[in-house]
């Protein structure tokens, strides 16, 4: 069962209420909750890959946390970032590894 997200309202609700509502209700409420079409695990891997490919490292930490909660392992993150290095660029992979390491995703389990 997908957990209701309130990050948009918590972080931007007063400043950008419409954007916050779209984030929480549409993106996470309608799109992310359709686990019969794509599992939360796979949505997390896809989202993290897109963020890395676009160089949007600011959001990676939050999505690594969500991904870890959705069952993504260190081994999967390492493989994903390594694969993306060849398609999205070496510097983006370095940045992603640094974020994953800082977040604690790189700790052995």
């Amino acid at each position: 069962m997908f957990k209701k997200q309130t990050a948009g309202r918590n972080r931007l609700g007063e400043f950008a209420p419409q954007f916050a509502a779209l984030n929480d209700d549409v993106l996470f409420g309608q799109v992310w909750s359709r686990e019969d079409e794509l599992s939360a695990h796979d949505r997390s891997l896809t989202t993290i890959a897109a963020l890395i490919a676009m160089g949007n490292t600011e959001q990676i930490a939050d999505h690594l946390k969500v991904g870890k909660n959705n069952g993504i392992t260190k081994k999967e993150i390492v493989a994903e970032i390594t694969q993306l290095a060849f398609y999205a660029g070496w510097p983006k992979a370095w940045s992603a590894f640094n974020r994953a390491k800082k977040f604690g995703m790189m700790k052995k389990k």
Side-chain angles (χ1 to χ4, degrees):
M1 183 76 175
F2 190 76
K3 181 183 171 193
K4 177 152 175 60
Q5 293 293 315
T6 59
R9 286 182 177 88
N10 293 346
R11 295 181 185 178
L12 293 174
E14 289 184 30
F15 186 74
Q18 184 180 16
F19 180 85
L22 289 168
N23 181 81
D24 295 349
D25 301 338
V26 178
L27 175 59
F28 287 100
Q30 294 176 26
V31 177
W32 271 80
S33 65
R34 296 186 306 206
E35 292 189 44
D36 58 320
E37 297 174 14
L38 191 63
S39 71
H41 175 275
D42 292 348
R43 282 186 198 280
S44 286
L45 280 174
T46 302
T47 301
I48 293 166
L51 292 171
I52 292 168
M54 293 184 297
N56 294 334
T57 57
E58 185 177 335
Q59 289 82 29
I60 290 175
D62 287 334
H63 282 281
L64 285 170
K65 181 179 178 184
V66 170
K68 197 171 184 180
N69 290 337
N70 289 333
I72 293 177
T73 65
K74 174 192 174 235
K75 185 177 179 179
E76 289 173 309
I77 287 296
V78 169
E80 179 172 58
I81 296 171
T82 302
Q83 177 78 13
L84 285 167
F86 293 93
Y87 291 91
W90 213 258
K92 289 178 183 175
W94 268 102
S95 295
F97 274 125
N98 285 333
R99 288 288 180 155
K101 198 172 169 186
K102 187 181 281 186
F103 170 70
M105 195 70 185
M106 304 304 280
K107 292 179 183 173
K108 291 184 179 181
K109 278 190 159 183

